[in-house]
Amino acid sequence: MRNLKLPLLLALTLLLAAAPALAETTAAPPMRNETIQLEGMPETLVTTQYTHDGWFTIWYDASRFVAEPTRDGVLFTLVDNRLGTDVSLKVEAVVDHAEYGELILEAERRNAEMEGWAIREDDAEGLFPLAGEGAAVTGFTGTEADDLLRVYLLKVDGREVLAELRYPVQAAEGWGARMLYMLNTLEMLPVQQ
C-alpha cells in the first residue's frame, strides 16, 4: 500500500499543477443573451461567438446549430433538422485577393443555375447594417421546389466574405430569420500586421 501512495501523490500533484494550463487552452468561447424577432414574436437566445483565423467573428445559437470549420470559414448546420432538407449557413473569407469576390459570386450563381435553382438578384443593401470603409453587399436568391438559397458577398474594410444560407420556404420566418440574424452579427477583425 505504501508503494502506491507515493506514485498516486506524485500524479495528483502533477495534475493539479497542470490544471491552470489545461483550463487556458480549453476556455469556453464568449457567450451573450440576445432577443430577436422570430415569426413575429420576441425570442431570447444564448449566443456563442465563433472566430475564424483572424478574419471574422460571428455569433450563433449553439443549442440549435453546430459549427463545423471549413478551410476558409465555418458551416453552421441545424442540429435537430426534421425538415427533410438542408438548413445551413456557410460563411467563408475570400482570402486570396479581395478583387476575386465578384468572380466567386458569379461562379456561385452559375453553379446554382446548373443545379436547377431559379435565380433572381437580391437587393441586399437593407439586410445588413455593415459599417466600415467601402462596406457593400451584393447577392442573389435561388428557389428550387420549396427550398431557398441566398448567397451574399459582403465587403468591409477591403476584405470580403461569401455567405450562403439554405432553408425551406416554410422556415423563412423561423430558421431563415435566425440564420440571417446570425449573419448580421458578422464582424471583420482588424488586419494583423
Side-chain angles (χ1 to χ4, degrees), residues 14 30 37 59 72 85 91 120 122 140 143 148 180 186 189:
L14 290 173
Q37 292 291 319
W59 294 83
D72 294 323
T85 189
V91 181
R120 68 176 169 78
D122 197 340
F140 65 89
T143 54
L148 282 174
L180 193 56
L186 179 82
L189 295 172

Side-chain angles (χ1 to χ4, degrees), residues 21-121:
L22 290 173
E24 287 179 21
T25 61
T26 60
M31 298 171 77
R32 66 184 185 194
N33 290 331
E34 301 186 46
T35 301
I36 66 172
Q37 292 291 319
L38 294 173
E39 299 178 8
M41 301 292 293
E43 184 173 327
T44 300
L45 311 173
V46 176
T47 58
T48 302
Q49 187 179 49
Y50 181 89
T51 302
H52 176 70
D53 291 342
W55 267 84
F56 63 82
T57 65
I58 188 168
W59 294 83
Y60 72 104
D61 183 352
S63 69
R64 293 186 174 94
F65 289 89
V66 63
E68 302 170 33
T70 64
R71 189 185 85 194
D72 294 323
V74 61
L75 174 66
F76 298 102
T77 54
L78 186 59
V79 172
D80 186 21
N81 187 350
R82 299 178 188 181
L83 298 172
T85 189
D86 192 15
V87 177
S88 64
L89 167 61
K90 181 168 59 172
V91 181
E92 293 193 322
V94 179
V95 295
D96 295 329
H97 299 283
E99 63 269 15
Y100 294 138
E102 290 294 334
L103 295 173
I104 292 170
L105 182 63
E106 186 55 36
E108 291 289 326
R109 183 186 336 263
R110 282 193 310 275
N111 288 340
E113 286 174 336
M114 289 189 320
E115 291 174 4
W117 294 90
I119 303 299
R120 68 176 169 78
E121 295 303 311

